[in-house]
Amino acid sequence: MVLHTLHKSRVSHARVGSLLTKDGCIETPAFVAVATNAALKAVDLRSVPDLDVLFCNTYHLMLHPGADVVAETGGLRRFMNTDRVIMTDSGGFQVFSLKHGTVHDELVHSSSLKKASVANKSKRQPSVADVRVSEGGVGFRSYRDGTRLLLTPELSVQAQKQLNGSIIMPLDELPPYHVSYEDLKASLDRTLRWEQRSLDEHLKQENGQLMYYIIHGGSDRGLRKRSVDFVRSKGGWGGYAIGGALGKDREEMRDIVEHVMGECGLRQLRENTGKPVHVLGVADPKSIKQLVKLGCDTFDSCWATKVARHGAMLCEPSTTVPSGRINIQSGRWKRAHFSLPGCSCHTCSTYSLSYLHHLAKAKEPVFQSLISIHNLTFMTNFMKDIRRQIEENVL
Ligand SMILES: [Zn+2]
C-alpha cells in the first residue's frame, strides 16, 4: 500500500490520505509546486515552509547541470539541500512542447489549426529543436549547443535514477489536442510500449522510487479505456497519473477525468491497489476542487507562480472578488495601506497591498518573488482546507 486512506468523504469520491514515499509522507490531496530547474521560480524554497512536494523537469536538468552532476551529490534533495518529496518527469513533455507547443498555445492559435497535422504544427513553430519520434524514443536538438540527442525510455529512467526523486515518470508521447484518431491511436500504442520499457528499466534498480503509470488517450473515450485496461493486470507501478491532452476547457477536462475514474475503472483500481492518482499539469483551485471530488489525490502545475509574476494574487472567491484573485497592478491598490486579509504568509505579514502595488509598477524584481510566495502559501492553505472539508464530509 502506497497511499493509506485516512478518511473517505460521504458525499463524493474524495479521500484524505497519507502517501508514503522513500523520502517521507505527503498528506493528500496535495498541491505539487513546479520547480523546473530544481528551483521555484523567483522564490527561495525556505520562504514557503509548508510546501511538501515539488515537481522537477528532467529535460532541463539533463541539459544543465547534467543528471550526472546532480548524482555526485546523491540526488536532487541533497543538491538542493531540501527535505521535500520530489517528483520528476521523464523529460518527454518538454521535448514534445518544443514540437507542438502546449495545449493552451494550440488552442490560442486554433482557428487555422483544426485540421492541422503534426507536420503543420512543426511549421508553426519552426523549432531549432527538430523533434523526431521513432520507436526507439524521441530525438531533438539541445537548445544549449545544438547537439542531436535521443531520449529513450531507458535513458530517461537512468537520468531519473541519477536525480533520485521520490516519484518518477515513464517516457510517454504527448500528441497535440487536435490530432486525428489514427495518429492518437498510434501514439498511444507507442506510449504503452515506452511505458513498459521504462518500468522494466526502473525495476532493474528500484531504489525505493515509485514510478507512476501515465494514462493517455487524449479526449477519445475508447483510447482512454484501452490505456487503463493496459495497466489493470500489471504490477510494479507505484501509482497512476492522468496525462495527455485533457480537453479545451475545465468542463471537458472534468468529463475526461470522470470517464477515466468511473467507466474506465481507475477509481476501483486505486481502491484495490492502495495507490495514488496524480493529475499532470492541472492545479488551479477550481479544477482541484472538481478533481478531488472524482477521487484524484495530487496535482502539479506552474499556474500559481506564473500568474504571480503577472501580478495576480490569489484569494478566497467572494462577492467582491468572485474570480478568486486580485490584480495588484491595478490602481485600485495604490492607497491600500493594509495587507491582504486572511493570509499570514511572509509577504502578507510584512507588506501592505499599496507597497506591493508600488513594487509592481516600479518593476522591482523582488515583486515577483513576494507575490509568488503568497500564491504558493495560498495553495498549501487551500489544500489544508480541502482536506478539512473532506474530513467534515462537505466536499
Ligand atoms: Zn499572503
Side-chain angles (χ1 to χ4, degrees), residues 133-308:
V133 179
S134 64
E135 185 60 31
V138 54
F140 62 101
R141 239 173 245 295
S142 161
Y143 73 92
R144 295 187 69 86
D145 58 11
T147 319
R148 184 129 201 104
L149 302 167
L150 178 69
L151 184 64
T152 66
E154 292 77 15
L155 284 174
S156 165
V157 173
Q158 286 159 17
Q160 293 184 81
K161 295 281 164 195
Q162 291 182 303
L163 298 175
N164 198 14
S166 328
I167 295 167
I168 64 177
M169 298 287 164
L171 185 67
D172 56 348
E173 188 179 351
L174 273 297
Y177 176 69
H178 291 113
V179 65
S180 70
Y181 174 79
E182 287 71 28
D183 286 348
L184 188 60
K185 182 173 182 304
S187 163
L188 174 64
D189 288 344
R190 187 162 39 236
T191 283
L192 296 181
R193 294 190 292 272
W194 283 2
E195 294 208 52
Q196 186 60 50
R197 279 167 60 191
S198 301
L199 180 67
D200 293 345
E201 187 67 22
H202 164 59
L203 293 177
K204 282 183 194 166
Q205 192 196 354
E206 216 168 333
N207 196 23
Q209 292 172 301
L210 299 170
M211 178 179 274
Y212 282 14
Y213 172 79
I214 305 178
I215 291 148
H216 274 272
S219 45
D220 186 273
R221 298 169 82 83
L223 293 180
R224 285 280 176 189
K225 175 89 166 51
R226 181 180 163 82
S227 183
V228 176
D229 285 345
F230 178 83
V231 75
R232 201 182 301 280
S233 57
K234 296 206 163 56
W237 298 100
Y240 311 104
I242 302 177
L246 284 174
K248 61 186 178 305
D249 52 30
R250 196 174 286 124
E251 200 175 324
E252 192 180 356
M253 175 192 68
R254 191 204 166 282
D255 286 350
I256 293 173
V257 175
E258 173 49 31
H259 173 68
V260 168
M261 297 299 286
E263 281 170 63
C264 299
L266 187 62
R267 201 149 44 221
Q268 193 57 48
L269 199 55
R270 64 156 212 178
E271 292 292 327
N272 298 346
T273 59
K275 287 172 186 167
V277 175
H278 180 79
V279 183
L280 283 161
V282 178
D284 61 281
K286 280 184 188 156
S287 301
I288 288 178
K289 216 161 193 169
Q290 278 188 346
L291 299 175
V292 157
K293 286 197 268 191
L294 304 180
C296 304
D297 302 299
T298 54
F299 310 86
D300 79 89
S301 158
C302 57
W303 179 81
T305 40
K306 204 172 198 171
V307 298

